[in-house]
Amino acid sequence: MKKPLLVIATHNLDKLREIRRLLGRGAYAVRGLDDFPPPYTVRESGKTLEDNALLKARRAVKETGCAALSDDTGLEIAALGGRPGVYSARFAGSGCSYADNTRKVLRLMGGIKRGERRAVFRTVVAFVTPGGDERLFEGRCVGRIAEGPRGSQGFGYDPVFEPRGEGRTFAEMPLARKNKISHRAKAFTRAAAYLRRIRK
Ligand code: IMP
């Protein structure tokens, strides 16, 4: 029997490859949005990661007619009242770079003591079907904000985020290690387990 299609709501091929690996061989044939032209953009106007993940997955279902998975991630820093959170991509303003964002975090965290630099990366994955079924899965990676940037791997806030128990930032570790312990890996692994259950 032909497998049903599952579309990952992204145009980013690196992300698609990584998510395919996390989902493993399942009951779905996994596709990206590039398999369903024309391209479109979704304004991430939600106030929470959950809202944005659902916005993107619902839109992908509407555009493709297939079940869809999407994700949204934010860095929540305790000393900043949970900021940047849902605004992680544009913390330093619209059109800002990753370096602008990390500089802003380090500036706001200036003078904050070692024990008070707790932060958590949180990913929310949304699964939506054409029949209107909606599920959310969460993955967290707890850690702290480093005193300065370290390492050159990864992207985003990786140079300033030290996962608990690692003694190095995400940007200092091989990608394979990050992908084992990351917020995104945990959220997609949960989604994958659910997809395996419902397709049995
Ligand atoms: P997105 O929801 O995956 O697009 O992530 C939103 C923003 O959070 C990105 O633009 C990055 O700045 C940041 N971000 C997401 N995931 C990571 C990560 O694994 N490491 C560092 N920064 C991340």
Side-chain angles (χ1 to χ4, degrees):
M1 207 175 70
K2 245 176 109 178
K3 289 182 180 182
L5 295 184
L6 174 67
V7 62
I8 311 299
T10 183
H11 292 287
N12 179 329
L13 294 182
D14 289 327
K15 203 166 186 178
L16 182 61
R17 190 175 319 118
E18 175 56 22
I19 293 169
R20 272 211 167 99
R21 201 182 59 76
L22 291 169
L23 292 177
R25 285 172 66 83
Y28 287 93
V30 175
R31 299 282 181 270
L33 284 180
D34 283 351
D35 293 309
F36 299 88
Y40 63 86
T41 50
V42 178
R43 208 165 72 84
E44 298 189 21
S45 55
K47 292 222 158 25
T48 62
L49 299 175
E50 285 78 2
D51 288 348
N52 282 341
L54 280 169
L55 270 177
K56 289 185 275 189
R58 286 178 189 143
R59 176 73 183 276
V61 171
K62 204 167 143 208
E63 298 282 339
T64 67
C66 304
L69 271 184
S70 77
D71 66 309
D72 207 46
T73 296
L75 174 64
E76 299 175 349
I77 303 174
L80 303 183
R83 285 192 301 157
V86 71
Y87 304 109
S88 293
R90 48 188 188 281
F91 191 40
S94 68
C96 65
S97 67
Y98 290 145
D100 295 333
N101 282 334
T102 51
R103 262 197 300 274
K104 178 164 180 187
V105 162
L106 289 172
R107 181 168 51 77
L108 294 175
M109 297 293 287
I112 295 183
K113 289 200 291 273
R114 194 177 163 80
E116 289 162 17
R117 301 179 73 90
R118 210 185 90 93
V120 54
F121 259 121
R122 204 160 71 82
T123 294
V124 174
V125 168
F127 172 66
V128 175
T129 69
D133 218 0
E134 299 189 336
R135 305 274 156 166
L136 293 172
F137 308 90
E138 190 195 65
R140 286 168 180 257
C141 184
V142 175
R144 63 182 289 281
I145 301 299
E147 278 72 18
R150 300 197 320 267
S152 54
Q153 310 285 316
F155 69 100
Y157 298 92
D158 281 350
V160 296
F161 184 79
E162 268 180 34
R164 188 164 61 197
E166 291 287 323
R168 54 187 173 171
T169 65
F170 267 155
E172 289 179 304
M173 63 181 70
L175 191 58
R177 176 66 188 155
K178 179 186 169 189
N179 287 341
K180 263 213 176 85
I181 62 171
S182 82
H183 38 295
R184 212 173 352 268
K186 288 176 190 156
F188 275 103
T189 301
R190 288 195 174 121
Y194 172 76
L195 294 179
R196 276 194 294 276
R197 270 202 313 280
I198 61 166
R199 294 295 308 173
K200 266 208 180 118

